[in-house]
Amino acid sequence: MRTYIGGQEAVSVNEFIELALGTPLELWLGVEGESAEERAARLDAARDILADNPDLPDDVSRVAAQVIEANAPELFNVVPLIRPAARRRTRSRKGAAA
């Protein structure tokens, strides 16, 4: 199955994320071994993007939640962490007043 975002095909997970965000993933996560100057420039660029697009974090969160919801069972073999509580059986104690 092919995935297209804005008319461009995403051929990898990273490309999908980059196309969905409209920015390279490295801008937000950084790269290993970046200098303090490179980090400062990256964070400055990220602040500018967020200033121009104040709804971006909400949009990204919404898309991420939709992707997880649609694919979680297949991707992560998700098992619910909370199971319905079993009904407790009441036992009468010997010698308890009735």
Side-chain angles (χ1 to χ4, degrees):
M1 182 170 91
R2 295 180 182 199
T3 302
Y4 291 88
I5 297 176
Q8 293 185 332
E9 183 180 4
V11 295
S12 69
V13 172
N14 284 345
E15 276 192 19
F16 176 84
I17 294 169
E18 185 173 327
L19 289 170
L21 290 175
T23 61
L25 189 57
E26 292 81 15
L27 175 69
W28 307 104
L29 301 179
V31 293
E32 190 174 333
E34 72 182 354
S35 68
E37 185 176 301
E38 290 169 327
R39 182 174 191 271
R42 178 178 57 79
L43 293 176
D44 190 43
R47 276 191 287 279
D48 288 345
I49 289 170
L50 290 173
D52 292 342
N53 303 290
D55 293 331
L56 182 62
D58 292 335
D59 294 343
V60 170
S61 297
R62 186 173 30 263
V63 169
Q66 290 169 346
V67 168
I68 291 169
E69 183 179 38
N71 298 293
E74 296 83 21
L75 293 176
F76 305 109
N77 196 16
V78 174
V79 176
L81 296 177
I82 300 173
R83 296 177 188 212
R87 289 181 52 191
R88 288 184 150 191
R89 287 190 267 168
T90 56
R91 296 182 191 175
S92 61
R93 288 187 257 161
K94 286 186 178 180

